[in-house]
Amino acid sequence: MGTKSEQHMLVTGKAGTGKTHFSIEQALSDKRPIVIIRSVVPTREVGFLPGELEDKLAPYFELYTPIFRKLSKKPLKDMVRGGQVHFVSTSFLRGVNMDNCTVILDEAQNCTLEELETVLTRLGKGSRLIVIGDVAQTDLKKSESGFQHFCHIYGRTQGVEYKELFENRRSRLLTDYFRSKKKFEDK
């Protein structure tokens, strides 16, 4: 599944197709610092989260640990401590410059168009942007998500490779469910 490491990417696919896994694999092969960005949109309210900003963002970024464990010889915590991996919320990007790194914008369907464009404006020299998402999975109101509009533009931009993943890597149940759902919706 290799691509040119200087090529920006748009990676789409249904739940379980391995978008995040694929993108982290790409970023690790680039051999430069990795910045993972997400919009912090909860699917349900959980109330006040205690602690510092890092503690509040931890639930959004803990899910990457098993992927890095599978793909890297170095534990994710060590990579974060060593400055090789950084996690950032779209809420804290103003004034940030991201040079000489691979930026992964994960769960991009949970971003407004303004958030998506803010990420683009932060990208500096020698950096690569990989945008990941699935229009069908948004936790925002469909009218609030800017992902579909962004895809139409970004996916056609020179220097951006578009990759849609189809094969479900997570479970057979998920594959069968989406087949059944499509049949039900087509009636």
Side-chain angles (χ1 to χ4, degrees):
M1 279 206 250
T3 63
K4 293 181 261 173
S5 68
E6 66 276 359
Q7 186 94 21
H8 303 291
M9 295 185 79
L10 172 61
V11 182
T12 63
K14 290 200 177 301
T17 54
K19 298 177 296 291
T20 303
H21 188 279
F22 170 79
S23 299
I24 290 172
E25 190 173 48
Q26 290 292 308
L28 287 168
S29 72
D30 288 348
K31 306 252 189 275
R32 43 185 172 199
I34 300 169
V35 178
I36 299 176
I37 302 172
R38 288 180 62 137
S39 181
V40 288
V41 179
T43 57
R44 298 224 189 250
E45 288 300 319
V46 293
F48 175 76
L49 292 174
E52 300 295 318
L53 179 60
E54 186 177 309
D55 301 318
K56 294 173 192 293
L57 295 177
Y60 295 95
F61 297 112
E62 286 174 1
L63 65 104
Y64 298 97
T65 299
I67 299 170
F68 275 91
R69 187 180 305 123
K70 192 183 290 186
L71 295 174
S72 175
K73 293 173 178 65
K74 214 171 183 184
L76 179 57
K77 284 184 180 186
D78 291 349
M79 294 176 82
V80 170
R81 270 190 232 112
Q84 295 151 300
V85 177
H86 304 273
F87 295 108
V88 183
S89 162
T90 55
S91 303
F92 302 102
L93 287 176
R94 295 269 185 231
V96 171
N97 294 315
M98 296 180 284
D99 295 321
N100 300 310
C101 60
T102 299
V103 177
I104 298 173
L105 175 55
D106 200 1
E107 302 291 349
Q109 74 276 358
N110 289 331
C111 293
T112 65
L113 185 58
E114 291 78 18
E115 286 177 300
L116 293 161
E117 290 177 346
T118 296
V119 172
L120 278 177
T121 65
R122 306 295 85 213
L123 206 65
K125 291 182 176 151
S127 290
R128 176 184 189 197
L129 177 61
I130 303 172
V131 178
I132 313 166
D134 175 5
V135 176
Q137 287 189 66
T138 187
D139 295 321
L140 299 173
K141 292 177 186 168
K142 294 268 187 204
S143 62
E144 293 175 0
S145 174
F147 185 60
Q148 194 165 18
H149 182 71
F150 180 82
C151 287
H152 288 299
I153 299 167
Y154 185 69
R156 292 172 175 80
T157 302
Q158 185 174 346
V160 175
E161 177 184 351
Y162 174 64
K163 185 160 206 69
E164 185 172 9
L165 304 180
F166 295 100
E167 183 183 334
N168 189 290
R169 298 171 59 157
R170 194 171 294 153
S171 76
R172 178 70 188 178
L173 173 63
L174 198 53
T175 301
D176 293 342
Y177 173 81
F178 281 118
R179 280 191 187 131
S180 295
K181 181 178 178 181
K182 181 159 178 37
K183 287 179 190 174
F184 178 77
E185 290 171 346
D186 288 345
K187 287 184 180 182

